[in-house]
Amino acid sequence: MRIPTMTDVLRARTLIDPILPRTPMWPYPALTASTGVDVLVKHENTQPVGAFKVRGGLTLLGQMPTVERECGVVGYSTGNHAQSLAYASSRFGAPCTIVMPTNPNSAKANAVRALGAELVEFGTTLEDARECAEKLARERGARLVSAANEPELITGVGTLYLEVFEQAPDLDAVIVPVGGGSGAAAACVVADAVAPDCEIVAVQSAASPAAHDSWRAGEVVHRPNQTVVEGLATGTGFELTQHIMRERLADFVLVDDDAIAEAQWLLLRDAHTLAEGAGASALAALLANAERFTGKRVAVICTGANASERELRTMSGMP
Ligand SMILES: *Cc1c(COP(=O)(O)O)cnc(C)c1O
């Protein structure tokens, strides 16, 4: 498999720049006070689909040959990867089919349909959805898009980290939420090229530690996948992203789902920012390891805003 380079990231940026404005990154005095760390929040929650993944989808679709694009793409996802592919497909006029496990987060399912993609509900796990997507892609001659073993998704997401280091060239650490690992792999590729002294720290939920355990073991492993935090939910590590993270990641930490919910609330209160669980997990990792980051300048990536209606009601104290 081809390892993405900084040159690929720069090429992705020329493709994305005319489509997506760069997202802001801000310090919040209240958040600095409650964490004791010089923390900056990178706002991928402001993307048109509410998550950073749109950068990868646009890069993948934008670089597909026209004939291939006309045959369409098939993806499987519990949410944001689906919205990213649906958005990019509609942007580039490609047919898009998304397979989700049955009874998906209705906000995410509706968003996918509203973007013009066909939504297929199948099975109970993401693994079931993947098998169904593989079959559909074969039948339709469409391009199957994996959740993480895709170089274009990594290079597209690399544009996020290029922005981070342009906005704050003096960072000591960047904390990145991990599911399949495309985001953390992208951070590694870019930091290696433009911020060699900056540590990249990954975070996953302790209830779904497959990527974390794969990184520690030095090989892809499977683990129970029990987190309620959608973007971080995976039962396996992925070869490509693990390979990149192995070389460059400074550390990989785990946080409990409860700590993620607490960080979601802090972002809402102190940074006026609505994050889904995954989008708050980098802040949760910072809070759980505060002494390690004291006196340092740290960026936390707020990767997404697509909280379910249940999460929204819980956060606001509504029944
Ligand atoms: C997908 C996702 C993640 C995890 O990203 P990977 O690139 O799969 O590791 C984190 N946060 C949100 C909001 C996501 O949608």
Side-chain angles (χ1 to χ4, degrees):
M1 216 168 314
R2 206 172 58 76
I3 306 295
T5 66
M6 189 63 199
T7 310
D8 298 326
V9 175
L10 291 171
R11 198 171 293 132
R13 165 116 100 180
T14 63
L15 193 147
I16 286 176
D17 248 358
I19 304 174
L20 300 175
R22 297 182 187 181
T23 61
M25 183 161 81
W26 301 119
Y28 294 92
L31 206 54
T32 305
S34 52
T35 59
V37 176
D38 180 10
V39 57
L40 298 161
V41 180
K42 176 65 170 170
H43 282 293
E44 290 297 296
N45 55 300
T46 64
Q47 291 287 8
V49 302
F52 76 100
K53 283 201 178 67
V54 66
R55 298 172 184 266
L58 284 171
T59 302
L60 189 131
L61 266 292
Q63 293 181 356
M64 269 170 89
T66 312
V67 280
E68 203 184 311
R69 210 191 266 155
E70 280 165 0
C71 298
V73 295
V74 180
Y76 53 96
S77 163
T78 52
N80 289 336
H81 178 50
Q83 280 195 66
S84 157
L85 285 181
Y87 180 90
S89 298
S90 92
R91 181 85 201 184
F92 288 103
C96 177
T97 308
I98 299 295
V99 186
M100 290 186 177
T102 37
N103 298 320
N105 170 338
S106 61
K108 290 179 179 174
N110 290 338
V112 162
R113 284 198 203 90
L115 287 163
E118 178 190 351
L119 183 68
V120 176
E121 291 186 28
F122 183 84
T124 51
T125 65
L126 197 57
E127 190 56 23
D128 298 337
R130 182 178 62 79
E131 283 170 20
C132 174
E134 280 173 0
K135 183 163 163 289
L136 282 177
R138 262 197 314 275
E139 284 168 9
R140 299 177 180 184
R143 161 84 141 88
L144 180 76
V145 185
S146 151
N149 278 334
E150 300 280 359
E152 289 86 358
L153 298 186
I154 297 174
T155 56
V157 173
T159 62
L160 153 55
Y161 294 94
L162 192 51
E163 286 174 31
V164 165
F165 293 119
E166 284 168 346
Q167 289 163 325
D170 54 348
L171 287 171
D172 296 305
V174 178
I175 309 180
V176 184
V178 171
S182 296
C188 288
V189 168
V190 175
D192 218 32
V194 306
D197 296 330
C198 179
E199 292 193 329
I200 305 300
V201 177
V203 55
Q204 200 173 28
S205 164
S208 296
H212 167 273
D213 289 6
S214 297
W215 185 75
R216 298 230 172 255
E219 64 181 3
V220 166
V221 300
H222 300 265
R223 286 291 180 265
N225 179 13
Q226 283 159 346
T227 181
V228 296
V229 179
E230 278 172 11
L232 309 185
T234 174
T236 180
F238 289 84
E239 206 56 66
L240 176 61
T241 54
Q242 286 291 331
H243 178 84
I244 298 168
M245 289 193 285
R246 210 169 289 144
E247 306 274 305
R248 180 59 170 80
L249 213 57
D251 203 358
F252 203 141
V253 299
L254 292 173
V255 289
D256 293 332
D257 284 5
D258 286 349
I260 292 175
E262 179 64 27
Q264 249 178 312
W265 166 246
L266 268 191
L267 275 175
L268 196 57
R269 188 192 67 189
D270 292 349
H272 323 294
T273 296
L274 171 63
E276 60 185 282
S281 61
L283 181 61
L286 182 141
L287 291 166
N289 299 277
E291 67 292 6
R292 169 193 182 138
F293 294 111
T294 305
K296 303 211 162 147
R297 194 160 160 78
V298 182
V300 294
I301 312 302
C302 180
T303 46
N306 293 323
S308 67
E309 190 161 331
R310 182 189 52 77
E311 280 176 280
L312 294 174
R313 287 179 192 277
T314 306
M315 270 190 276
S316 65
M318 300 257 299

